[in-house]
Amino acid sequence: MITPNVADGIHLITHAHVNCYLVEDQDGLTLVDAGLPSMWSMLLELLEDRGRQPEDIKALVLTHGHFDHVGFALRARREWNIPVLVHPRDAHLAAHPYSYKPQRNRFLYPLSHPRSMPLLGRMAAAGALAVKGVSSTRPLPIGAALPVPGSPTVVHTPGHTDGHCILHFADRDAVLSGDALVTLDPYTGKAGPQIVASAATKDTKQALASLEAVAATGAATVLSGHGEPWTQGAGAAVSHALTVGAH
């Protein structure tokens, strides 16, 4: 599914419960995350719909290096020569997107959360088990406006991974929260603002602490790596996530 303007000039691509975003301004386009391999054709469709060309994409920014965010990153870099930016602490993970150890066994966890099985099955069918890492990345600078279309401020939010980052588009009143805060957890099947389950999170305590940075953006719209856009404010989303807690 393609949903244009989930926030001003921010377009959503979603498939198999995985999201990535195309940010548009007069200077070009920025991709945020690369979803799953099968989402490549949806990106091409979105570019055509917007009257844009691949050369309009100035950068691909990864919120983190997990397989369901690295997706078609290598293809975009090879075919379109797009620079791929990721926090240095996730550079190795982006190159080896399955090489992480969460708090709990990610293969056994779904057995106790059967609602997750259809979601994870759809992700697998969309290429989640065959993602190739991208090793030629550039370090993602923190704390200042990123010199790419949309000029987001990058905030380090470790916990889900060591190098996880969120992107705050202050002039669009939106924050792209990656998996620091999601509105659907594929590992439990539960909807609503929350951190991702310990089956896919390195440090849930740290992930909960990093929610403060999401709330601090004050953004009206939260756009996450999984689930529907949240339009009731970052503060309310974080309050809900803290109530849910770690799982």
Side-chain angles (χ1 to χ4, degrees):
M1 180 184 295
I2 296 172
T3 308
N5 292 302
V6 287
D8 183 26
I10 301 177
H11 315 301
L12 166 64
I13 303 172
T14 185
H15 181 55
H17 313 289
V18 174
N19 300 335
C20 62
Y21 298 89
L22 187 68
V23 181
E24 186 172 21
D25 73 10
Q26 66 274 12
D27 297 322
L29 306 169
T30 298
L31 265 170
V32 180
D33 287 330
L36 297 168
S38 61
M39 296 167 75
W40 179 260
S41 61
M42 302 174 72
L43 172 60
L44 296 178
E45 180 183 347
L46 177 55
L47 289 173
E48 183 176 359
D49 288 347
R50 304 305 301 178
R52 295 284 198 161
Q53 302 297 322
E55 54 264 31
D56 294 329
I57 303 175
K58 306 306 180 184
L60 166 57
V61 179
L62 302 178
T63 59
H64 61 295
H66 280 167
F67 62 90
D68 53 338
H69 295 257
V70 170
F72 55 74
L74 181 62
R75 185 172 184 178
R77 189 185 63 76
R78 284 181 172 174
E79 295 190 14
W80 296 343
N81 198 31
I82 296 172
V84 180
L85 284 69
V86 66
H87 190 282
R89 292 181 67 184
D90 264 23
H92 180 270
L93 182 58
H96 307 88
Y98 303 101
S99 63
Y100 63 97
K101 185 178 180 180
Q103 282 191 198
R104 297 180 64 182
N105 189 304
R106 64 182 182 268
F107 301 108
L108 298 179
Y109 191 91
L111 298 178
S112 60
H113 295 78
R115 290 172 57 181
S116 71
M117 299 299 283
L119 282 71
L120 296 173
R122 293 185 191 106
M123 289 173 63
L129 302 180
V131 173
K132 296 179 179 179
V134 56
S135 57
S136 297
T137 57
R138 299 181 185 179
L140 182 60
I142 305 301
L146 192 63
V148 299
S151 302
T153 299
V154 181
V155 182
H156 186 208
T157 49
H160 184 63
T161 66
D162 289 333
H164 192 287
C165 293
I166 61 172
L167 279 66
H168 182 206
F169 294 84
D171 60 338
R172 305 173 193 229
D173 209 7
V175 59
L176 271 62
S177 63
D179 284 4
L181 184 150
V182 298
T183 57
L184 175 69
D185 186 348
Y187 286 85
T188 65
K190 294 180 180 179
Q194 59 197 292
I195 65 167
V196 176
S198 55
T201 293
K202 182 174 183 180
D203 185 332
T204 55
K205 183 178 179 180
Q206 189 176 43
L208 288 170
S210 284
L211 289 174
E212 182 179 350
V214 179
T217 66
T221 301
V222 180
L223 303 171
S224 69
H226 305 275
E228 297 290 329
W230 175 269
T231 58
Q232 300 175 49
V238 166
S239 293
H240 190 285
L242 290 172
T243 299
V244 174
H247 49 282

